[in-house]
Amino acid sequence: FDSARRSYEAEILKDPREPHIYNNFGLFYREMGEPELALPLFKQALALYPNGDDDLFDNLGSAYLELGDNDSAIIWLLKAVDLNSELVDVYAGLAIAYSNKGDRRNAAIYVEEYKKRAAAMGFKGIESNAPPPGSPARYVTYFNERLLPEWKKAGLP
């Protein structure tokens, strides 16, 4: 993981105006279970690429969701939906964020959208998101203690 981090840092030094490097580095930190370190990188990617794309909006929304900011998560994830995103995690994130806010109607809409898209892609639900062996402990803890219960509470498969 240290080697990957150093590689991203070197890429930024080499090409500091490339938004995809910041987005990928932010995703690295999300996968490490450190969304608080990911968020500034996603914001830098957005500053360099103001129109953004569904991948960046998904990452921003997911980082906010991981930090417990459901309102900001919804804002960014809806931007991905507006781009007709094919990323199934966008719809799961919206289902969770709305469920966390107690908005069962909107949560149900995105649960159904997730189910439809996940089935078409062969995803089985939360098992498709389970951390692989060797995942960082902080992410595994987040997955088991927050994501999994919120996923189930939202009604996702």
Side-chain angles (χ1 to χ4, degrees):
F1 297 118
D2 283 339
S3 174
R5 182 184 44 76
R6 284 191 304 274
S7 176
Y8 282 118
E9 289 169 347
E11 285 185 51
I12 286 173
L13 288 173
K14 185 174 160 185
D15 194 358
R17 306 261 330 132
E18 174 51 53
H20 292 74
I21 296 170
Y22 292 94
N23 188 42
N24 292 338
F25 195 13
L27 180 58
F28 165 81
Y29 276 120
R30 276 194 54 229
E31 291 173 349
M32 294 295 293
E34 300 183 55
E36 68 281 356
L37 297 176
L39 202 53
L41 293 162
F42 296 141
K43 288 179 179 180
Q44 181 61 29
L46 189 62
L48 294 169
Y49 181 39
N51 291 334
D53 60 23
D54 63 340
D55 188 47
L56 178 55
F57 297 152
D58 176 38
N59 283 327
L60 275 160
S62 295
Y64 278 114
L65 186 62
E66 290 163 13
L67 291 167
D69 185 345
N70 295 301
D71 292 327
S72 294
I74 289 168
I75 289 168
W76 289 106
L77 294 170
L78 286 175
K79 287 180 182 289
V81 169
D82 288 345
L83 295 176
N84 297 311
S85 181
E86 294 296 321
L87 301 170
V88 295
D89 289 344
V90 168
Y91 302 95
L94 282 164
I96 292 168
Y98 279 118
S99 174
N100 288 346
K101 290 175 56 74
D103 184 343
R104 298 301 302 159
R105 185 182 68 75
N106 276 317
I109 290 168
Y110 290 105
V111 166
E112 289 310 309
E113 192 62 32
Y114 172 85
K115 286 179 180 178
K116 179 177 77 174
R117 292 169 182 271
M121 298 179 81
F123 289 177
K124 307 232 183 296
I126 193 66
E127 294 85 20
S128 298
N129 291 28
S135 293
R138 188 166 170 186
Y139 182 76
V140 172
T141 299
Y142 163 75
F143 180 87
N144 290 318
E145 294 179 8
R146 285 252 332 271
L147 181 60
L148 192 56
E150 289 177 355
W151 184 281
K152 290 178 179 179
K153 178 184 167 206
L156 290 158

